[in-house]
Amino acid sequence: MRHTNRFLYFGLQFSVLYDKTTKLTFEQVRRRTDFVPSRSETFQYGYSSSAYWFRLRITNRSLENTKHWLIGLLDASSIDYADCYVEYADGRVEHQTGGLKRPYVDRGFFATTPFFRINLPTNEPVTVYFRIESSAAMFGKVTTWEEYYNLSKGRVIIFAIWMFLGLFILRSLNSFVLARFVSNSHFRFYAVCTFLLYLATLARTGIYPILLSNHPQLLDWVHAGMGRLMPMGLSVWLYS
């Protein structure tokens, strides 16, 4: 990486190890020789009880930025547990945790997907390991970001989230106020359905994992249940 690179994709530079037992430790994994090279810019796994390990090697060529880097799994919003291990040339290892079902205080850099702060000394090779596990399908990209560039992009995302929350509150209040005065059961049912629609869409903002991180079973229901309840409700309303 050179100082002109603000973010990089590592889709074809990392290798993968499947852990069907979910019991492998980092010390065991770092000695394994059966990693399989990735053949895609993205990773995508269906519903599985396995854990997946990623391994990639990075050499930072920048003479200016050695401390302000983020590495993570872009678009991977369904990962329950994520671990990042950074192994330096001197043998030192740093371990950080993240994921939807980890307590909020045990997560890495705040983002809607797992990201972690790392140091990348100039011209010193660093090996990074990810371990991911989820009860849902997983999709994403392995990326490295210059931290300040990520924060500038993050402001736009945060603004969009708060804008959506404001519209959500106003639209819900409008529907329920109208439902109070419009004595029509179909319209009231429609008001409830639109409320469920907003709740389901809100899951994409990353708010629920923050609010419900200490209640993983409820978090499962919100992600899986709301996505099914909303279209079912709209179908029933259309039929009625």
Side-chain angles (χ1 to χ4, degrees):
M1 295 184 301
R2 303 184 184 280
H3 67 277
T4 54
N5 293 125
R6 292 183 170 183
F7 69 93
L8 292 171
Y9 293 106
F10 291 99
L12 298 176
Q13 283 75 47
F14 72 91
S15 51
V16 185
L17 175 68
Y18 302 93
D19 178 14
K20 295 182 179 179
T21 67
T22 69
K23 304 294 184 182
L24 291 178
T25 65
F26 171 69
E27 292 300 327
Q28 294 172 322
V29 168
R30 70 194 299 191
R31 294 193 296 267
R32 295 286 290 263
T33 59
D34 52 343
F35 276 82
V36 179
S38 170
R39 297 182 179 180
S40 173
E41 287 291 345
T42 62
F43 63 86
Q44 185 171 0
Y45 307 111
Y47 297 96
S48 173
S49 58
S50 301
Y52 298 87
W53 288 82
F54 300 157
R55 181 180 65 190
L56 62 146
R57 292 183 174 87
I58 304 173
T59 301
N60 181 16
R61 304 299 183 186
S62 171
L63 299 177
E64 299 177 4
N65 186 5
T66 62
K67 297 182 179 180
H68 302 289
W69 290 100
L70 298 173
I71 191 165
L73 308 172
L74 185 66
D75 297 329
S77 58
S78 63
I79 293 178
D80 291 341
Y81 301 100
D83 292 82
C84 177
Y85 298 86
V86 183
E87 183 179 15
Y88 294 95
D90 58 3
R92 179 170 49 92
V93 176
E94 293 182 356
H95 176 209
Q96 300 180 62
T97 59
L100 295 176
K101 294 185 179 178
R102 286 261 167 72
Y104 186 65
V105 295
D106 294 335
R107 299 183 191 178
F109 180 83
F110 173 72
T112 55
T113 59
F115 268 84
F116 308 94
R117 283 191 177 96
I118 62 171
N119 297 330
L120 295 175
T122 301
N123 295 324
E124 181 179 308
V126 172
T127 304
V128 179
Y129 294 83
F130 285 108
R131 181 189 184 277
I132 60 174
E133 184 179 354
S134 180
S135 58
M138 293 181 285
F139 168 87
K141 303 173 184 178
V142 179
T143 61
T144 298
W145 292 66
E146 197 271 335
E147 185 173 350
Y148 296 127
Y149 179 72
N150 178 274
L151 290 174
S152 66
K153 292 293 183 181
R155 293 192 188 101
V156 177
I157 296 174
I158 292 174
F159 174 80
I161 290 175
W162 282 107
M163 178 67 74
F164 173 80
L165 288 175
L167 294 174
F168 161 66
I169 294 172
L170 291 175
R171 182 67 177 83
S172 299
L173 288 175
N174 178 67
S175 296
F176 285 117
V177 169
L178 288 176
R180 171 67 177 81
F181 296 100
V182 178
S183 59
N184 182 290
S185 60
H186 299 301
F187 179 79
R188 292 175 177 177
F189 195 5
Y190 167 76
V192 173
C193 288
T194 56
F195 182 71
L196 294 177
L197 171 64
Y198 281 116
L199 289 181
T201 308
L202 198 62
R204 297 295 299 170
T205 65
I207 296 297
Y208 292 144
I210 297 175
L211 300 177
L212 305 175
S213 60
N214 294 324
H215 305 282
Q217 293 181 342
L218 185 57
L219 186 61
D220 278 337
W221 186 89
V222 168
H223 280 288
M226 291 302 301
R228 292 170 174 81
L229 190 60
M230 182 269 296
M232 288 175 59
L234 286 176
S235 299
V236 173
W237 172 75
L238 288 171
Y239 179 76
S240 67

